[in-house]
Amino acid sequence: MFACKDAGTRSRPIQATIRVKILPLGRVKDIQIKESYEGIRKIYPQTEVLPARDMPAFTYYEPRNRNRADSLIRWMSSMAARNEIYVGITMQDISATKGKLADYGIMGLGYCPGSACIVSSYRLKNKQNFFKLVIHELGHNMGLSHCPVLTCYMRDAKGGDPTDEEKGFCPKCSAFLRKKGWNL
């Protein structure tokens, strides 16, 4: 349920001087905002929380009562200045097209590399693992693809919720992120 969407020519170069902007969208608990901010700030100090916003109406998919993740990250990417990454967080259901499925429910989506990602706790079994979703999608924004190591934050969820099994970034993913300026 995690995804990395290739941004193609629309992505901005990722540099060590980026600023991470957490954008609460729709329904979000204060604890999710706080944990996202504190967690990201520990590893990447140039992080701030933006004022909460309503979920944009144009992202709503009425037949399934969901918001389109691809529309959300395109919208946030359009707001991101050079060297900024927007991390949208929500409790509302989000979806994306996956193969022949036009509206597949997901926990997160991020351009890889890119300037925006969206994370939802809606499908998360253990809500205490929310930060793992956030850091996974932010890893995609930094340029990381899915990892074959089953305990790595960057593993592919393959339609499930493996967050209880994830223990941290594997050595290869950690080395990549340290080169991007992360304090791991």
Side-chain angles (χ1 to χ4, degrees):
M1 290 192 187
F2 302 107
C4 178
K5 186 172 181 69
D6 184 353
T9 59
R10 295 165 38 96
S11 66
R12 294 176 177 86
I14 302 296
Q15 300 174 2
T17 58
I18 64 166
R19 293 172 310 282
V20 176
K21 298 191 174 238
I22 299 168
L23 178 60
L25 292 168
R27 292 185 311 272
V28 183
K29 290 185 178 178
D30 288 342
I31 189 71
Q32 290 174 321
I33 298 168
K34 181 181 182 213
E35 288 176 356
S36 297
Y37 172 74
E38 289 176 352
I40 294 171
R41 190 138 183 4
K42 283 180 188 174
I43 58 173
Y44 202 85
Q46 294 182 22
T47 301
E48 68 177 289
V49 177
L50 299 173
R53 294 181 70 166
D54 290 335
M55 196 66 80
F58 68 88
T59 69
Y60 185 64
Y61 183 68
E62 188 173 1
R64 300 294 296 271
N65 192 30
R66 295 176 173 162
N67 289 87
R68 297 290 301 177
D70 48 357
S71 296
L72 286 163
I73 61 176
R74 273 194 306 272
W75 172 68
M76 287 185 292
S77 289
S78 73
M79 293 187 297
R82 185 165 189 215
N83 296 326
E84 288 181 345
I85 293 177
Y86 272 61
V87 179
I89 59 174
T90 188
M91 294 170 52
Q92 293 174 226
D93 199 9
I94 60 174
S95 64
T97 300
K98 181 176 181 180
K100 294 182 181 182
L101 298 172
D103 188 61
Y104 184 76
I106 59 173
M107 290 189 287
L109 184 69
Y111 285 146
C112 185
S115 59
C117 61
I118 182 72
V119 181
S120 169
S121 64
Y122 184 84
R123 297 175 184 283
L124 187 62
K125 293 176 192 168
N126 181 349
K127 304 300 184 203
Q128 293 179 338
N129 289 337
F130 185 70
F131 179 68
K132 292 179 182 182
L133 298 178
V134 171
I135 207 73
H136 174 98
E137 296 306 336
L138 191 52
H140 284 319
N141 287 156
M142 292 293 189
L144 279 175
S145 296
H146 286 135
C147 179
V149 177
L150 298 180
T151 57
C152 182
Y153 289 151
M154 293 308 299
R155 77 179 282 182
D156 187 344
K158 297 184 179 178
D161 176 1
T163 55
D164 279 338
E165 300 161 20
E166 297 169 353
K167 306 300 178 204
F169 289 107
C170 72
K172 184 178 175 183
C173 292
S174 291
F176 179 90
L177 291 170
R178 277 194 295 278
K179 287 180 183 176
K180 298 286 185 179
W182 286 31
N183 301 317
L184 297 175

